Amino acid sequence: MPLVPPDTAGVSAVAARLRAGELAAFPTETVYGLGARIWDPDAIARVFERKGRPWFDPLIAHVAERDGLGALWDAPGEPAAVRDAVERLVAEAWPGPLTVVVRRRPEVPDLAVAGLPSVGVRLPAHPVARALLRAVGDPVVAPSANRFGRVSPTTAEAVLAELGEDLWVLDGGPCAVGVESTVVGFEADGTPVILRPGGLPAEEVARITGRTPARGSRGRIEAPGQTESHYAPARPLSLLPGPIREVGLPPGRWGVLSATTPAASVRGPGAEVVGVEVLSESGDPREAARRLFAALRRLDALDVDLLAEPWRGEGGLSDAVRDRLQRAAARR
Ligand code: TXA
Ligand code: MG
């Protein structure tokens, strides 16, 4: 019974499995996660194996309530300005698509955080995720429930297609946000550093902390797991150099991911368009984020090479959409 209904009985059955050291997948508002209880290093090791994930890529710990952060975060060991920025962010943006990277307590298993001195923590907004976390009673580490480097799943069926039909998946339907959480670290003076753009816009991080966030880069705060090629379909995907109306399509057989161009205008001399997905004709980045991963999956199923129109929007979830598209197209 791999697809589990998200009712009380289903949630308790999946919680019992996690407590018994099994893995199970569950919905969040961003993408589906592959969960393991954080105090169970054997189960955490199986998360890495099941995804084919390299050991240097740290996992995010999910908590049921704001005060769950206390069991993981060495707050006294943190500069006062960092404590203040973290507390403001979690007070306003949790539950929601925000992961804070903070100094970890020594009890957090090394394997969960790839041996780093920090831990990423998030309180998801999805009611099924929160019900599950409460029923487990401990934090749950959960990477996106896809094979490493592939497209993240935004439906329960996509999880089974990625990780195998025997996995138990709580079925919460399609994810409302559709891209992963924004991962935020902190400099010693409290400046937030966006290590991964995601469901919480950078403007919101700026508003809540009162500081302009820096963009993560090697050398500032360690940001492992941000490999250039990621979120990749099985077939090669190329980013077009501009809007389809201006640059057209090159000759060939293609599946096309249009950013905003209506399907009827997706064409070019000598181009055979086998399938088209449009992210958002109105240019709404929320709609684009929600549709992105499922659209990539449908195009990938056509078994032709893929072209994507760049996302031109600014603000809101536009950074996250652009980041995922660029990584999906990066050379492997
Ligand atoms: O929305 C999400 O965040 C989803 C859902 C399931 O919650 N989870 C997710 O996990 O996207 P994952 O494993 O696919 O991405 C986690 C990324 C790591 O690759 C790394 O870039 C960053 O989060 N991260 C986690 N812990 C970190 C740490 N201690 N220091 C720096 N970066 C960290
Ligand atoms: Mg992932």
Side-chain angles (χ1 to χ4, degrees), residues 26 28-34 51 53 57-62 97 99-102 112-113 116-122 124 142-146 148 152 179-183 195-196 221-227 230-231:
F26 61 96
T28 80
E29 74 278 24
T30 57
V31 301
Y32 277 70
L34 175 64
K51 278 186 58 97
R53 180 179 180 111
D57 192 357
L59 303 178
I60 294 172
H62 296 67
T99 295
V100 289
V101 173
V102 294
V113 296
L116 294 169
S118 58
V119 59
V121 187
R122 137 165 161 81
S144 52
N146 50 276
F148 180 71
S152 302
V179 290
E180 293 83 350
S181 60
T182 302
V183 179
L195 300 172
R196 176 180 72 181
I221 293 174
E222 234 181 311
Q226 287 300 87
T227 41
H230 219 112
Y231 313 105

Side-chain angles (χ1 to χ4, degrees), residues 5-159:
D7 51 18
T8 314
V11 167
S12 346
V14 170
R17 282 182 79 88
L18 288 170
R19 291 205 60 85
E22 303 282 334
L23 311 184
F26 61 96
T28 80
E29 74 278 24
T30 57
V31 301
Y32 277 70
L34 175 64
R37 205 170 68 94
I38 195 168
W39 307 125
D40 188 339
D42 285 348
I44 296 175
R46 277 182 278 118
V47 168
F48 281 90
E49 282 161 13
R50 185 113 194 188
K51 278 186 58 97
R53 180 179 180 111
W55 303 100
F56 58 75
D57 192 357
L59 303 178
I60 294 172
H62 296 67
V63 294
E65 307 292 343
R66 270 193 204 89
D67 61 16
L69 180 56
L72 306 171
W73 181 27
D74 174 17
E78 205 92 84
V82 173
R83 271 203 310 271
D84 182 60
V86 172
E87 272 157 12
R88 283 186 197 211
L89 270 172
V90 305
E92 269 213 50
W94 275 5
L98 164 73
T99 295
V100 289
V101 173
V102 294
R103 211 183 139 92
R104 69 162 157 132
R105 292 175 60 110
E107 298 88 326
V108 175
D110 278 322
L111 191 54
V113 296
L116 294 169
S118 58
V119 59
V121 187
R122 137 165 161 81
L123 168 50
H126 198 296
V128 175
R130 289 193 78 184
L132 177 68
L133 291 163
R134 282 199 198 98
V136 173
D138 287 319
V140 169
V141 290
S144 52
N146 50 276
R147 282 169 300 131
F148 180 71
R150 297 297 186 172
V151 179
S152 302
T154 52
T155 62
E157 291 78 14
V159 175

Side-chain angles (χ1 to χ4, degrees), residues 247-271:
V247 304
L249 299 179
R253 295 186 76 226
W254 306 107
V256 180
L257 183 63
S258 153
T260 54
T261 304
S265 308
V266 173
R267 52 177 182 239

